[in-house]
Amino acid sequence: MRNLALMTVAAASLLAAAAPAAAQDLAAGAAAVRDKALSDQTAWSVAESLTTEIGPRMVGSPAMDRAKDWAVETFKAHGFQNVKVETFTAQGWFRGAESAEVTGPYPHKLHILGLGRSSSTPKGGLTAEVALFRTYDDLLAQPEGALKGKIAVVTGAMARAQDGAGYGAVGAQRRSGAAEAAKRGAVGYLVRSLSTDDTRLPHTGGSLPGGIPAAALSTPDAELLENLVARGKPVTVKLDMTSRFDPKVPAYNISAEIPGTDPNAGVLIVGGHLDSWDPGTGAVDDAAGIAITLAAAKLAAAQGPLKRTIRVVMWGSEEQGGSSEAYLAAHKDEIGKMVVVGESDTGAGRIWQIRLPTGSLDHPAMRAFRGAIAPLKVIVSREAPRFGGADVAGLVSAGAPFVEFDQDASRYFDLHHSADDTLDKIDPAELSQNVAVWGAFLHAAANSDIEFRAGAAK
Amino acid sequence: MRNLALMTVAAASLLAAAAPAAAQDLAAGAAAVRDKALSDQTAWSVAESLTTEIGPRMVGSPAMDRAKDWAVETFKAHGFQNVKVETFTAQGWFRGAESAEVTGPYPHKLHILGLGRSSSTPKGGLTAEVALFRTYDDLLAQPEGALKGKIAVVTGAMARAQDGAGYGAVGAQRRSGAAEAAKRGAVGYLVRSLSTDDTRLPHTGGSLPGGIPAAALSTPDAELLENLVARGKPVTVKLDMTSRFDPKVPAYNISAEIPGTDPNAGVLIVGGHLDSWDPGTGAVDDAAGIAITLAAAKLAAAQGPLKRTIRVVMWGSEEQGGSSEAYLAAHKDEIGKMVVVGESDTGAGRIWQIRLPTGSLDHPAMRAFRGAIAPLKVIVSREAPRFGGADVAGLVSAGAPFVEFDQDASRYFDLHHSADDTLDKIDPAELSQNVAVWGAFLHAAANSDIEFRAGAAK
């Protein structure tokens, strides 16, 4: 850390010699935020606190009410102002008791985790023969009625990739599989977890309700079912699952600000989501995102004073949906004031690439930002951002400029939505790298007059 | 594999040119067994069959009765003779429902797995404050009565090591911790799993009964308790555990032979254990050992005919104890006939070192064996074997010569005694390397007159 700091102070001095005063200030400021971030403990302490003092926090649960209070206290403790709790209504699904077992030809307990919006089984469970498909396309190729009375099983595997591309490639088998299986007559649905790990822990996640019980299998359980089915004898499974769905639960988008010196200079909006799935403690998904953006804003402002306001939002219903729409509805009149928006929601893996709005790369502020993060091994893409995060999608659709900071997702899908999403999986050094990138960005953008809107870059 | 085969055929030829005919035959035989083993599927098919068609098999359970029948059928299917089921009486402990949760200051569900011989909690569970110790020595330093009414927790971590040394270093905290905590007044005991992994899956294992409920915590849960206790407020935990202990359950040591051409030339005894803990499917512990030794014996004999008899044993109660004593009791009159004994019980990690009985290294048979396995990257220790395996400990204590083939245990303790002990964790190439080493050894030793007894090497 010491050598890096020396090197980058030298780099900043070189840059300063060739640039006008404002650019020099921007570069020095962004570099200073970066260096402080690399040894700062704020993000770790926020993530540790949320996962230890609250733990899992499903929208609509008592834990989410405690999380809301935690959010308010945490913002205040870190010196934020204008702390706001915006209440909205979301849909909440709650897991009850769940079990699954192979009843023939050889008995086995299966490790499952119900998918969000799964139905319950009839009381006492249901037992049926499985119809196993090694790809989701194989299931979709089944005609109507072909799965009548069966438990459909899809065992397509997710590939590991730095950019998380494997998740999208097989995502539909979790999101839409139950509904598609039900259309074809299935009475239950089991899907290999969208996971890159081989542990016996299943990964849950959102799904379109199909009116049938639907659950994720752990990787080894999916492979066990394949091996059982390969023997050519009928394989029967008993599912016993309970859950509760509430179409109206209270949810909260909680925000706080570090006001800029110029109230008319606009607001930068960044954050992560406060809600989580229930099996883990919601560490990489998404205590990390909250911790990174809160710490980045705090460190950027501490290097101020900054002209523009930075707002950090803890969105309250990303996993089961609703935060994005609620946030847009409450802030649509503010879109024109939004300098830029962005969300951190891929854990704490290091940022390996950034995408900035078209035309902004060569503004002195973004030059300063790029210079500051070059030692952090971050690629600067010349392509426009594609996705700013699920919780800012509403703002983006309404015209807010957005950034995309791509994190290394190689390990993220080992963990997310599973019991393994715990604090120990966050690497403090990688977490700090994220804070350094976000912090340098916020400082440079909030300390300048950069305009990220298409065609208006200056 | 092709290049390896060519190279070692050449090596065998060189050796043959300088050695008498018998040595030449020994070298060629051992090398041929090795080469066949490296592409043979027997071991994989045995491990796949046991884990898929039987799954977990605790001594005294219905699954163990099915496993016994599987063993007899499997031996016969692979051409073994003299299949014997030797029934003995063991002690059986059976898990019931188990749950644990932190009730204050912040609620959390804990992932636990009762230790073998744990007591049940009172009906409805028990709630108590925890007394947490970061090392087992810290617990042992407590005076009598110091833990009165508390749930004692020990969170010492196990280090990863190729030779598995970390297991021994902290093993006592699982094996004796409950008894020591109970002596000091504790009403319950929780111990960080003897695990090198960071998953949310706890690892069970044998323990001395302390008359109190005792369970393993997953690694993240142990760290969560540390973080909770570090806040300085009392931490309370509710434990609710049921189990059943039966001091007399039927158990089986099942063996089969490939008879040698000379009934008076002695018998080589190798094997693994058939029983397993309950959370996984007993793949690395110890379907692998059964698969390796069965396949090695079959391949060695197929390269025969061999002078000496090879016997493969599937011991029936290693985890909860009893196989070794029972096997000794049934075979003590045979000790003098035993050429050598050995057990494979560290999963399917590759063998990185062998230890042979003192004085035997330079016998032509062991020269042939060493030559055959040199390309498999196996170190030949000049030190005597220390441990032949838990199930041959009785035979060894009665004077049977034994070998020790050390496997890479770097990953074994991520898996063993946990739900993660499943077939997919066995690497087929590493499994084959084990078969090659055991097969080359069995062929060389059974095809020669080597005498492994101390002082009698020739």
Side-chain angles (χ1 to χ4, degrees), chain A residues 45 48-56 66 106-108 111 197-201 219-220 223-224 227-228 231 279-281 411 418-425, chain B residues 45 48-56 66 106-108 111 197-201 219-220 223-224 227-228 231 279-281 411 418-425:
Chain A
S45 76
E48 196 270 352
S49 172
L50 179 54
T51 55
T52 306
E53 296 173 13
I54 307 296
R66 291 197 303 276
Y106 308 110
H108 279 276
H111 290 232
D197 207 350
D198 62 2
T199 75
R200 202 81 186 270
L201 295 167
T219 300
E223 296 185 359
L224 175 67
N227 290 342
L228 286 168
R231 282 163 163 74
T281 60
R411 194 176 179 223
S418 85
D420 254 347
D421 183 2
T422 49
L423 179 68
D424 54 297
K425 309 307 186 307
Chain B
S45 76
E48 196 270 354
S49 172
L50 179 54
T51 55
T52 306
E53 296 173 13
I54 307 297
R66 291 197 304 276
Y106 309 110
H108 279 277
H111 289 232
D197 207 349
D198 62 2
T199 75
R200 203 81 185 270
L201 295 167
T219 300
E223 296 186 0
L224 176 67
N227 290 343
L228 287 168
R231 282 163 163 74
T281 61
R411 194 175 178 224
S418 85
D420 255 346
D421 182 3
T422 49
L423 178 67
D424 54 297
K425 309 307 185 308

Side-chain angles (χ1 to χ4, degrees), chain B residues 136-403:
Chain B
Y136 185 49
D137 283 344
D138 291 340
L139 167 66
L140 294 179
Q142 298 298 307
E144 201 173 313
L147 303 179
K148 193 168 161 56
K150 300 278 177 68
I151 295 173
V153 182
V154 172
T155 61
M158 177 182 164
R160 191 182 295 276
Q162 174 170 288
D163 66 358
Y167 193 58
V170 292
Q173 72 188 32
R174 186 196 78 206
R175 286 193 299 272
S176 309
E180 294 294 337
K183 273 188 210 167
R184 290 161 177 79
V187 296
Y189 182 66
L190 295 172
V191 62
R192 179 175 168 138
S193 290
L194 300 188
S195 167
T196 45
D197 207 349
D198 62 2
T199 75
R200 203 81 185 270
L201 295 167
H203 297 229
T204 187
S207 69
L208 276 176
I212 58 174
L217 291 161
S218 84
T219 300
D221 288 279
E223 296 186 0
L224 176 67
L225 282 182
E226 288 179 344
N227 290 343
L228 287 168
V229 166
R231 282 163 163 74
K233 301 175 196 165
V235 174
T236 52
V237 164
K238 179 179 180 189
L239 282 181
D240 197 350
M241 297 169 60
T242 62
S243 58
R244 181 172 64 81
F245 176 67
D246 187 335
K248 288 191 176 179
V249 297
Y252 318 101
N253 288 330
I254 304 153
S255 62
E257 294 180 339
I258 303 176
T261 55
D262 179 354
N264 299 317
V267 57
L268 295 84
I269 299 178
V270 294
H273 64 84
L274 187 60
D275 67 310
S276 76
W277 286 106
D278 51 335
T281 61
V284 306
D285 191 12
D286 182 29
I290 282 174
I292 288 163
T293 51
L294 184 153
K298 181 181 178 181
L299 291 170
Q303 196 64 28
L306 301 176
K307 186 175 157 191
R308 288 162 155 171
T309 295
I310 301 175
R311 183 185 304 165
V312 177
V313 188
M314 301 187 193
W315 284 283
S317 186
E318 193 273 342
E319 298 296 0
Q320 301 201 43
S323 329
S324 171
E325 296 79 356
Y327 200 78
L328 174 63
H331 296 273
K332 57 182 181 295
D333 295 344
E334 229 185 348
I335 295 284
K337 282 180 57 186
M338 295 179 191
V339 176
V340 72
V341 303
E343 183 173 18
S344 171
D345 185 21
T346 320
R350 56 179 288 279
I351 293 170
W352 63 275
Q353 175 173 266
I354 57 166
R355 292 168 182 264
L356 297 171
T358 304
S360 65
L361 273 177
D362 292 322
H363 185 282
M366 292 301 99
R367 282 183 182 274
F369 169 49
R370 290 159 51 197
I373 63 170
L376 303 177
K377 299 185 180 165
V378 181
I379 294 168
V380 178
S381 172
R382 299 203 76 87
E383 290 174 22
R386 303 157 306 179
F387 183 66
D391 291 306
V392 296
L395 301 179
V396 167
S397 71
F402 66 106
V403 288

Side-chain angles (χ1 to χ4, degrees), chain B residues 99-116:
Chain B
S99 67
E101 57 187 303
V102 178
T103 55
Y106 309 110
H108 279 277
K109 285 187 187 166
L110 295 172
H111 289 232
I112 63 159
L113 203 50
L115 299 180

Side-chain angles (χ1 to χ4, degrees), chain B residues 26-44:
Chain B
L26 286 166
V33 171
R34 174 205 61 211
D35 289 344
K36 285 190 183 154
L38 293 177
S39 61
D40 185 76
Q41 298 303 307
T42 304
W44 178 265

